[in-house]
Amino acid sequence: MTPHAAACTASPSAFHPALLGQQADRAVSWQEMVSHRSALVRFAQRRLHDPMLAEDVVHDVFEAVIAGRASFAGRSALRSWLTAILKHKIVDLVRQRAGVDSLDEGGEEGAAGTLECPQPRPDELAEQRQCLAQTLARIEALPSGLRDVMRLRVLQERATEDVCAALAISEENLFVRLHRARKQLLS
């Protein structure tokens, strides 16, 4: 159990009752808050995908309530109120981490060497070229009407109006031919 989790499950006498619900219309007892702890931890784990971090965030929620930074006015259910505070804490944590992450975070000199190259590896590049060659060969094997449509519209990326004028076909016929050509290529 983490130190934060131990603090969350501590006895009610560990905290002064005057601190609970300070500045609130309705005092919140320690037992009431802790009874929602497991639901809050589950909620945080679903959002953060890290059990230890979820425990820490839930602890921060209880700490905010005890310190009087958050006051329960009784306008909603206690669990809803605690969950709303938790949501804000999670958002704050995600924002904080997004601004802090860097290459030097690991503290290792060779950390930059472990980054993935955004360009494909040579084997991936060869596989892509082979796939492209096969696709082009399949386009060339299509019947002439379908092949011409694929060449002009897809490979040359010409405008619909230009393709229709070049082949003397309507837009509807162009789209039908494209559909049929793609269907044949996929089969």
Side-chain angles (χ1 to χ4, degrees):
M1 181 181 293
T2 67
H4 295 308
C8 288
T9 58
S11 70
S13 62
F15 299 96
H16 192 278
L19 293 176
L20 296 176
Q22 187 178 32
Q23 303 171 355
D25 297 337
R26 176 179 174 263
V28 179
S29 74
W30 178 250
Q31 288 89 2
E32 284 180 289
M33 283 194 336
V34 172
S35 69
H36 299 291
R37 183 184 167 282
S38 61
L40 294 172
V41 169
R42 282 193 310 271
F43 179 87
Q45 285 177 344
R46 284 193 305 266
R47 300 298 187 277
L48 298 171
H49 306 289
D50 182 351
M52 299 301 285
L53 195 56
E55 292 278 349
D56 288 345
V57 173
V58 170
H59 174 76
D60 292 345
V61 168
F62 289 145
E63 189 176 278
V65 171
I66 290 170
R69 292 189 303 255
S71 59
F72 182 59
R75 292 188 303 258
S76 65
L78 179 61
R79 181 178 288 184
S80 300
W81 180 67
L82 291 170
T83 304
I85 296 171
L86 179 61
K87 285 179 187 178
H88 290 288
K89 293 284 184 185
I90 291 171
V91 168
D92 291 345
L93 177 72
V94 169
R95 285 182 183 154
Q96 178 188 14
R97 287 183 164 221
V100 174
D101 287 346
S102 71
L103 293 176
D104 299 329
E105 189 175 72
E108 298 176 15
E109 292 292 323
T114 61
L115 293 177
E116 287 287 324
C117 182
Q119 297 177 349
R121 297 186 318 255
D123 62 324
E124 292 173 335
L125 193 56
E127 186 178 323
Q128 289 174 357
R129 286 183 180 157
Q130 182 182 14
C131 184
L132 178 61
Q134 289 173 349
T135 303
L136 292 173
R138 292 191 69 171
I139 290 173
E140 292 303 316
L142 290 171
S144 63
L146 302 180
R147 180 180 57 238
D148 294 339
V149 166
M150 288 297 289
R151 279 184 189 160
L152 296 173
R153 183 70 179 109
V154 177
L155 297 178
Q156 296 177 8
E157 296 180 349
R158 291 179 52 186
T160 300
E161 298 80 23
D162 295 341
V163 175
C164 291
L167 298 176
I169 59 173
S170 67
E171 280 190 29
E172 292 82 17
N173 190 275
L174 170 68
F175 295 128
V176 168
R177 288 183 185 194
L178 281 171
H179 173 75
R180 289 179 181 168
R182 289 178 178 139
K183 195 171 183 178
Q184 283 188 21
L185 289 174
L186 292 173
S187 62

